[in-house]
Amino acid sequence: EVQLVESGGGLVQPGGSLRLSCAASGFSFSSYGMNWVRQAPGKGLEWVSYISSSSSIYSADSVKGRFTISRDNAKNSLYLQMNSLRAEDTAVYYCARGDLTIFYWGQGTLVTVSS
Amino acid sequence: DIQMTQSPSSLSVSVGDRVTITCRASQSISSYLNWYQQKPGKAPNLLIYAASNLQSGVPSRFSGSGSGTDFTLTIISLQPEDFATYYCQQSYGSPPYTFGQGTKLEIK
């Protein structure tokens, strides 16, 4: 069974940093592209960042230069390093498996940016 | 970046209704279009991929069609468990793979 479990969310002040983690199991992690998708309270889905199986990286303009996606295939883990956080980054962050299509999603972790 | 526009943004419907949701891309995306369903407090769930392919385990009352810039998600005979928000997502070329703004189905 494919499982994606996010962790690392919480309350952080504007300008602060946070690192999200996603523990993957039930599939060959190194073979798949992985994404971070977020959802602000009461709003729609926003694609944030993608890392391919060969570690090519793409990010949304809204987070470029502030957020960095990475992966550790030996640990079956996906990460999102978030720096210079803003109030508008407040959202549930989902870890999601897929290249052209997201077939599996984690349950999400809430990041709140507030003073 | 490719923009995705869904319509309507909300829809009041009844159990048993036929529902059609449309998604329009700002440029041609061939058939690189996915549909997801999301219920409150839950992660999204894949319904349709590559415009018209039904994901395993998804009821056959859901179908997708379209290519190029215009796409539709159709639900025939709406069931109580189908009241949710639906999102399209394009996956053409390289990321960003943008989502539509969502369509919320509400009980009439």
Side-chain angles (χ1 to χ4, degrees), chain B residues 36-106:
Chain B
Y36 302 89
Q37 176 194 66
Q38 187 181 34
K39 296 181 179 179
K42 300 294 187 181
N45 181 53
L46 176 66
L47 298 175
I48 303 284
Y49 62 96
S52 61
N53 294 276
L54 191 68
Q55 169 63 353
S56 175
V58 174
S60 58
R61 62 181 179 271
F62 292 91
S63 65
S65 64
S67 66
T69 60
D70 294 314
F71 301 86
T72 60
L73 173 70
T74 300
I75 313 171
I76 59 172
S77 190
L78 197 74
Q79 296 302 297
E81 59 268 30
D82 300 336
F83 289 95
T85 301
Y86 294 83
Y87 295 92
C88 63
Q89 182 204 24
Q90 64 82 18
S91 56
Y92 181 78
S94 297
Y97 292 154
T98 44
F99 289 90
Q101 80 277 16
T103 297
K104 185 176 182 180
L105 295 189
E106 299 171 314

Side-chain angles (χ1 to χ4, degrees), chain A residues 39 47 100-103 105-106, chain B residues 34 36 38 43-44 46 87 91 96:
Chain A
Q39 186 169 37
W47 174 85
L100 300 181
T101 301
I102 295 177
F103 285 88
W105 300 71
Chain B
N34 307 305
Y36 302 89
Q38 187 181 34
L46 176 66
Y87 295 92
S91 56

Side-chain angles (χ1 to χ4, degrees), chain A residues 24-43:
Chain A
S25 61
F27 65 100
S28 177
F29 179 74
S30 62
S31 298
Y32 292 89
M34 298 294 297
N35 302 265
W36 289 100
V37 177
R38 69 183 179 183
Q39 186 169 37
K43 301 298 184 182

